[in-house]
Amino acid sequence: MATIDPLPTIRAFVERLRDAHPNFAYIHVTEGREVEELKEGQLDHSKATLRPIWGDRAYIAAGGFDGETANSTVEKYGGLVAFGRKFISNVSAPLIDQLEVVILTTLHNSPISPNV
């Protein structure tokens, strides 16, 4: 049976995790957001309840951040921000550009280059 509001379960889990593992390194939370909230730099009210539960330990938030919203969230609430969606889908794009430069440079400077 599906839970209508999963937040009480999530809060209880974070509380138990905090109490049972005081040296736990961090918690990584995906904070769902609406476009308007992102523009205003506001947290989803349901996820904001996890920050006080976790306390002053490392808290990593993810969920549609860009540079501006990440900065405003960290300044206002502290913690860290994770970026993923835009980078995971194109994880090799910067490497491909660098690899093309290396290949082209190597081929043009090579004694077996067809362009020599």
Side-chain angles (χ1 to χ4, degrees), residues 65-106:
F65 288 100
D66 61 15
E68 183 180 330
T69 57
N71 284 333
S72 66
T73 299
V74 170
E75 288 172 2
K76 190 170 185 179
Y77 301 102
L80 304 167
V81 172
F83 298 92
R85 185 174 300 140
K86 294 179 182 178
F87 298 101
I88 291 171
S89 62
N90 297 314
V91 69
S92 62
L95 298 175
I96 289 172
D97 291 339
Q98 291 175 358
L99 185 59
E100 286 177 355
V101 169
V102 169
I103 290 171
L104 292 174
T105 303
T106 304

Side-chain angles (χ1 to χ4, degrees), residues 31-68:
E31 298 179 341
R33 300 173 191 285
E34 298 297 325
V35 174
E36 295 79 27
E37 289 176 337
L38 283 172
K39 289 179 181 174
E40 296 172 9
Q42 297 175 350
L43 285 175
D44 178 345
H45 71 282
S46 62
K47 303 299 188 305
T49 61
L50 298 178
R51 287 178 182 265
I53 292 170
W54 192 244
D56 60 352
R57 293 188 263 172
Y59 183 99
I60 303 173
F65 288 100
D66 61 15
E68 183 180 330

